[in-house]
Amino acid sequence: MPGFASAEAVRPISLPPPRTEGGVSLRAALQKRRSIREFSDRPLPLALLSDLLWAAYGINRPESGDRTAPCWRHQVVIDIYVALPDGAWLYAPKEHELQPHVAGDLRAATGMQDFVGQAPLNLVYVAQGDQMGKIAEEERRLWANVDTGFIAQNVYLLAAAEGLATVFRASVPRQQLAASLKLSGEQFITAAQTVGYPRS
């Protein structure tokens, strides 16, 4: 991944087409699925990052724009921010690309455990509260968390299939991270997930 000094100075990164065939069976991935908290600092190849993001919440039905994970009331309200060593990027499923968002290494800021800063990738799940209609704040958070769980499980299964380590994390410094990501007042962080190669 190229480093960048400012989000304005960098173009989006087009991801290679995801592999949608082959690989291990669903049953094999379920057998291997587990949480792992020890990571190598080895970077993920761009092709594997492409597969991972598509599996998480990519578009699997281009004619309708529907995703690989279900969503509340058929409304897409979750965004995935991708924290890499060179900055935070926003995954754009329609274009299947990474759009520059914030410069600087925010990986350590995505959690409270030491490993988050060493792993090559942290996914931050952010809900667009203003797109959820006039429902109570408690309901917004409930349904946003449900949608996040679907996405995170897809990440778990792809990680298991590819021999990657991952762990879903609810312990996130939400206010500080929201400020670092320059989120609006209507956006809120639901959770984060660390991904990388397991430490041998």
Side-chain angles (χ1 to χ4, degrees):
M1 294 287 178
F4 59 85
S6 69
E8 294 78 16
V10 178
R11 296 174 184 266
I13 296 174
S14 293
L15 297 167
R19 293 172 292 170
T20 58
E21 295 183 4
V24 304
S25 71
L26 173 60
R27 287 179 176 83
L30 288 168
Q31 177 65 31
K32 295 177 181 178
R33 192 223 60 82
R34 59 186 34 86
S35 293
I36 298 174
R37 295 171 177 81
E38 295 184 351
F39 297 86
S40 164
D41 59 3
R42 175 183 166 196
L44 298 180
L46 194 61
L48 186 50
L49 181 59
S50 170
D51 291 349
L52 181 75
L53 291 171
W54 178 81
Y57 209 33
I59 292 174
N60 65 355
R61 285 155 286 173
E63 64 282 353
S64 64
D66 287 336
R67 307 293 185 92
T68 55
C71 54
W72 173 79
R73 292 186 178 174
H74 206 68
Q75 288 182 273
V76 175
V77 298
I78 302 295
D79 286 321
I80 302 177
Y81 288 82
V82 180
L84 294 164
D86 64 349
W89 304 74
L90 175 63
Y91 174 53
K94 184 177 179 181
E95 298 82 6
H96 193 57
E97 67 182 18
L98 293 176
Q99 298 176 346
H101 185 69
V102 176
D105 188 350
L106 299 182
R107 291 176 298 165
T110 68
M112 301 173 183
Q113 301 95 337
D114 291 341
F115 62 77
V116 302
Q118 178 183 354
L121 170 66
N122 286 281
L123 305 176
V124 181
Y125 303 118
V126 176
Q128 302 172 51
D130 58 340
Q131 295 188 21
M132 299 187 77
K134 294 181 179 180
I135 61 173
E137 178 72 14
E138 184 178 332
E139 277 195 88
R140 284 186 179 188
R141 294 193 178 273
L142 169 64
W143 292 114
N145 286 332
V146 168
D147 283 4
T148 298
F150 292 134
I151 298 166
Q153 180 70 334
N154 283 357
V155 172
Y156 265 109
L157 293 174
L158 193 283
E162 294 291 340
L164 297 174
T166 189
V167 63
F168 181 79
R169 299 183 287 101
S171 296
V172 178
R174 287 174 175 78
Q175 288 186 341
Q176 302 95 310
L177 183 54
S180 297
L181 286 172
K182 300 180 180 178
L183 301 181
S184 75
E186 293 292 333
Q187 293 176 288
F188 59 92
I189 295 167
T190 57
Q193 190 164 11
T194 306
V195 186
Y197 289 101
R199 191 170 67 194
S200 54

